Amino acid sequence: MNAPTAAVRAIAAAIVLLVTAPLALAAPEVWSGELVTPSAKLVITIHLEQDGDAWTGTGDVLAQGLSGAPLADIEVSDGHMKFRMTLPGATVAQQPIFDLTRDGDTATGTMSQGGATLPITMKRVSEEELAAAAAERRPQTPRPPFPYRTMDVRVPSPSADAPTHELAGTLTLPDPDEFGPGPYPCVVTISGTGPQDRDETIFEHKPFLVIADHLARRGVASLRCDDRGVGASGGDYRAAGCTDFAADARAQVEYLLTRDEIDHDRIGLIGHSEGGLTAPMVAAGNEHVAFVVLLAGMSVRGDEILTSQSAAMFKLQSLPESFITESNELRQSMLDAIREGLDDEVKLDRMRALVQHDTMGMATPEQVERQARLVLAQFDNKWGRELVTLDARDYLSKMTQPVLALNGSLDTQVLPELNLGAVREALAKAGNTDVTAIELPGLNHLFQHASNGSMGEYAEIKETFDPEALKMIGDWVVERFVEPAGG
């Protein structure tokens, strides 16, 4: 990878754009446009306000999970705007600068970052146009009016090493006119790796909202919560590990036991990705968990997930098998050092070797050092140490509840052949007689129809969740746990 290409890709990883309103207007304005980079097309939306001579603004790049990023160094003159977008964790020198000329409701100019410059064009839009565009990009996102009930709830979650915090969530209940007054079966949704909101929002997709909507229309309630430290939830995500996330999920089950609307004998878990590790941790030996749905669930030890995932992604790049093998040997060595708690310098040395290899010797020593420390910090913490130590099979082998496990055949993050096989084997060891494990052709890690399953496709695909997979989940739950109204 040459330097200009790397710089341009850095722009695609974190970028936001602002265009201004005329000086005479004090009312808020919304601008939206598409920034075309070598690796993606990014929809940029700007919200701008004027208060006297002062201007403030925020920008959204929802496809990259960036919302409400503040603008800085705003300069406004007749027909011209220049500003900088502040990005989380980026230095001033790393932040993009936009220089735009406004002509009526159109603004054109350039975005500069890291030595690269890209052209941009923005259009002034109304809030209604913005909503319509969002609906076009993500047509599966449920929109009101809804034929069911929702309510905001607060779920207390005690922690052994921190004060009790509360999780903010949404409890969704079926329509009593169609499904009776309850109590209803209910699912707790458990998100994958990284700080996630209650909808598991990624690239504007809201898969947990789509699932909750589908189940409510079929008589199944759901509870979905912001992760600790995310959205309106308390707690500290950065200090938490896999066992803490399991404690939070367990607290949600216990909360449902206090709700009269919920049938306490029909509470289930839906875990996606790393949530497929969390769900068995909660369900094993838990008399209050009646069923489990694993969506691309991590079903082996975390280091196996990480090495198999890296190999799959390298194969998509058509890299030589020898390169992939050596990379994974170095990756495994680094992960072993984390799991075994070796000396910090040993861990860093092994990470340096991995970065040096994976950048094909093209990175400078300074770049290798910076990247090695950055990546090591992401894994050498409570979460990372637990992830590479815990094995979902240890919990699956103790589960006798009905289990539905689904994986897309194009999943490059949680490989179906590795993880579905582990699910079947571990549940057989438990003597579980109600197991459905299916590989779904043509679907990726998010259960979208995909071309090759690469993460780069996630934002480009309009589909949030394959309707047939969604129906499969609903059918499976309804067949076992939904009684006809009045039944």
Side-chain angles (χ1 to χ4, degrees):
M1 180 187 298
N2 59 42
T5 301
V8 170
R9 288 183 179 173
I11 295 163
I15 193 75
V16 108
L17 170 64
L18 170 66
V19 168
T20 69
L23 285 172
L25 292 180
E29 292 193 7
V30 181
W31 294 77
S32 187
E34 190 174 76
L35 180 68
V36 180
T37 78
S39 58
K41 294 180 180 179
L42 304 176
V43 175
I44 312 297
T45 303
I46 296 304
H47 305 268
L48 183 70
E49 291 190 60
Q50 182 184 12
D51 183 5
D53 293 332
W55 290 83
T56 59
T58 61
D60 307 326
V61 189
L62 299 180
Q64 296 184 331
L66 187 63
S67 177
L71 306 171
D73 299 339
I74 302 174
E75 301 175 7
V76 179
S77 60
D78 188 19
H80 179 255
M81 288 296 296
K82 188 175 183 180
F83 50 87
R84 171 171 54 86
M85 169 52 65
T86 62
L87 304 174
T91 65
V92 171
Q94 295 169 333
Q95 293 165 356
I97 296 174
F98 299 85
D99 197 341
L100 301 134
T101 299
R102 181 186 181 280
D103 183 7
D105 289 341
T106 302
T108 58
T110 60
M111 182 286 306
S112 301
Q113 184 188 36
T117 299
L118 295 175
I120 54 160
T121 298
M122 301 286 286
K123 297 286 186 180
R124 186 178 174 183
V125 298
S126 66
E127 292 288 355
E128 292 75 16
E129 290 172 320
L130 198 63
E136 169 66 20
R137 290 194 302 274
R138 301 294 179 251
Q140 274 185 282
T141 299
R143 292 174 173 84
F146 301 123
Y148 49 80
R149 298 162 287 164
T150 63
M151 61 186 72
D152 291 333
V153 298
R154 305 290 296 189
V155 177
S157 182
S159 176
D161 55 0
T164 297
H165 60 271
E166 287 188 326
L167 302 172
T170 299
L171 180 63
T172 302
L173 300 172
D175 180 2
D177 291 338
E178 182 176 359
F179 297 100
Y184 309 103
C186 186
V187 300
V188 171
T189 56
I190 307 173
S191 64
T193 301
Q196 305 278 347
D197 68 15
R198 67 193 70 186
D199 298 328
E200 204 186 32
T201 303
I202 177 171
F203 303 124
E204 291 186 271
H205 292 293
K206 298 179 180 293
F208 280 177
L209 175 58
V210 170
I211 291 171
D213 175 87
H214 178 81
L215 292 178
R217 294 171 187 269
R218 302 192 64 179
V220 181
S222 62
L223 174 62
R224 54 189 209 279
C225 289
D226 298 333
D227 288 349
R228 63 166 68 190
V230 176
S233 288
D236 184 353
Y237 186 93
R238 294 170 300 177
C242 301
T243 52
D244 297 305
F245 303 138
D248 284 346
R250 195 173 293 113
Q252 293 173 63
V253 173
E254 293 169 356
Y255 171 80
L256 291 174
L257 296 175
T258 71
R259 303 289 309 210
D260 293 337
E261 308 98 324
I262 303 305
D263 186 330
H264 301 167
D265 294 324
R266 293 187 289 167
I267 297 173
L269 308 175
I270 296 182
H272 177 231
S273 196
E274 188 184 327
L277 164 64
T278 309
M281 292 174 69
V282 176
N286 190 335
E287 64 180 358
H288 299 304
V289 175
F291 61 95
V292 174
V293 177
L294 304 175
L295 301 177
M298 287 176 45
S299 303
V300 296
R301 205 170 68 182
D303 55 345
E304 293 182 71
I305 294 291
L306 294 171
T307 53
S308 62
Q309 171 182 116
S310 296
M313 293 178 184
F314 283 143
K315 286 177 182 177
L316 285 178
Q317 300 174 47
S318 300
L319 291 171
E321 194 64 37
S322 58
F323 175 93
I324 297 172
T325 298
E326 184 174 354
S327 176
N328 268 359
E329 288 174 353
L330 292 169
R331 182 170 286 98
Q332 186 65 59
S333 177
M334 180 272 296
L335 295 173
D336 288 344
I338 291 175
R339 185 177 56 256
E340 296 165 10
L342 300 186
D343 183 78
D344 288 349
E345 193 56 36
V346 173
K347 290 181 283 192
L348 188 55
D349 274 343
R350 295 186 184 185
M351 181 59 82
R352 290 183 185 115
L354 175 60
V355 172
Q356 181 71 28
H357 175 272
D358 285 2
T359 56
M360 303 180 187
M362 298 178 66
T364 67
E366 292 78 13
Q367 291 171 330
V368 169
E369 185 69 19
R370 181 168 58 252
Q371 185 70 6
R373 290 181 180 276
L374 177 64
V375 177
L376 184 60
Q378 295 174 356
F379 287 95
D380 193 17
N381 49 40
K382 183 178 183 181
W383 168 77
R385 289 187 289 272
E386 291 186 346
L387 184 73
V388 299
T389 301
L390 294 171
D391 192 327
R393 290 169 291 197
D394 294 338
Y395 304 96
L396 289 164
S397 63
K398 298 178 177 66
M399 286 175 50
T400 56
Q401 302 97 327
V403 174
L404 171 65
L406 302 178
N407 251 112
S409 66
L410 296 181
D411 192 335
T412 58
Q413 292 188 251
V414 176
L415 275 59
E417 61 270 23
L418 173 64
N419 290 274
L420 285 180
V423 168
R424 296 186 185 102
E425 182 179 343
L427 291 173
K429 184 177 179 181
N432 197 319
T433 58
D434 190 349
V435 178
T436 306
I438 304 175
E439 180 176 327
L440 302 175
L443 302 186
N444 63 15
H445 186 62
L446 301 187
F447 293 87
Q448 303 167 307
H449 284 95
S451 297
N452 59 27
S454 68
M455 290 189 288
E457 291 185 313
Y458 297 170
E460 296 297 317
I461 298 172
K462 287 187 176 183
E463 181 180 66
T464 294
F465 203 99
D466 170 38
E468 288 302 314
L470 198 61
K471 183 177 183 300
M472 189 176 295
I473 296 167
D475 288 348
W476 186 88
V477 175
V478 167
E479 179 184 338
R480 289 162 176 77
F481 298 101
V482 175
E483 301 173 359

